[in-house]
Amino acid sequence: MTRRLLLPVIVLPIAFLMLGGIAPGVTPGEVPITLRRCEDEGTLKITSFRASPNPPRMGTLFEGEIFGSLTQTITSGRLRVESIYDGQLVYDEEGPIDLFLNIRLPLFNGPVDVRYNTVVERAPAGPYVIRIRAVDQEQRLITCVEFHFESER
């Protein structure tokens, strides 16, 4: 059975999308979100990703969802989110996964579906990199990804 997690608003609009790929529905001329792994694949094996709108736009509801599978049970861990705007670190926060994402642990190995939505506010137009790194209770890598996109007004 797939577990569905609804994530709360975090300061940045795409704080827990973890995957590499481009979502469908990109209008010609737009620069979509591109995602890259920043370390070897961890215990979260991501299979697909959806984002709307892609790229994010100020004043609109941003919705993202990832689908994948955990190869090990997660009973606790830490998540770090960094936001780099136009080459400058503008946000850096770390905390326990369950409190940071408002989820209930443990997460058992198997299919997982992670959803995130928020209204994009106070984000100046320009180039962004959002880096997300998560480790489990044994300090094993869950995932490390970077999201590259140009925010629009």
Side-chain angles (χ1 to χ4, degrees), residues 11-152:
V11 173
L12 297 170
I14 59 170
F16 196 64
L17 302 176
M18 298 183 196
L19 144 92
I22 297 175
V26 176
T27 303
E30 290 183 333
V31 178
I33 298 171
T34 59
L35 302 115
R36 301 176 190 146
R37 226 176 279 162
C38 46
E39 293 183 33
D40 291 338
E41 189 169 49
T43 58
L44 175 62
K45 309 299 182 200
I46 298 167
T47 57
S48 64
F49 166 73
R50 179 189 66 77
S52 178
N54 185 354
R57 290 184 197 92
M58 280 191 37
T60 63
L61 178 67
F62 176 82
E63 297 177 301
E65 187 169 17
I66 61 159
F67 303 91
S69 181
L70 288 170
T71 60
Q72 295 185 352
T73 297
I74 298 170
T75 59
S76 67
R78 300 205 47 91
L79 179 78
R80 182 174 185 181
V81 177
E82 298 172 297
S83 177
I84 300 157
Y85 169 71
D86 203 19
Q88 299 294 315
L89 182 67
V90 294
Y91 178 81
D92 186 357
E93 187 170 347
E94 183 176 336
I97 288 176
D98 55 340
L99 298 178
F100 205 93
L101 299 175
N102 194 29
I103 61 174
R104 205 178 261 226
L105 295 175
L107 292 177
F108 296 101
N109 61 326
V112 66
D113 170 0
V114 180
R115 290 182 177 192
Y116 180 80
N117 65 64
T118 189
V119 174
V120 179
E121 296 179 29
R122 296 182 299 238
Y128 284 85
V129 175
I130 308 294
R131 183 177 301 124
I132 295 153
R133 186 174 196 279
V135 295
D136 69 9
Q137 63 279 357
E138 304 292 327
Q139 299 301 305
R140 290 180 299 230
L141 182 67
I142 297 170
T143 193
C144 184
V145 292
E146 290 182 345
F147 307 88
H148 298 255
F149 65 96
E150 288 270 338
S151 175
E152 299 178 350

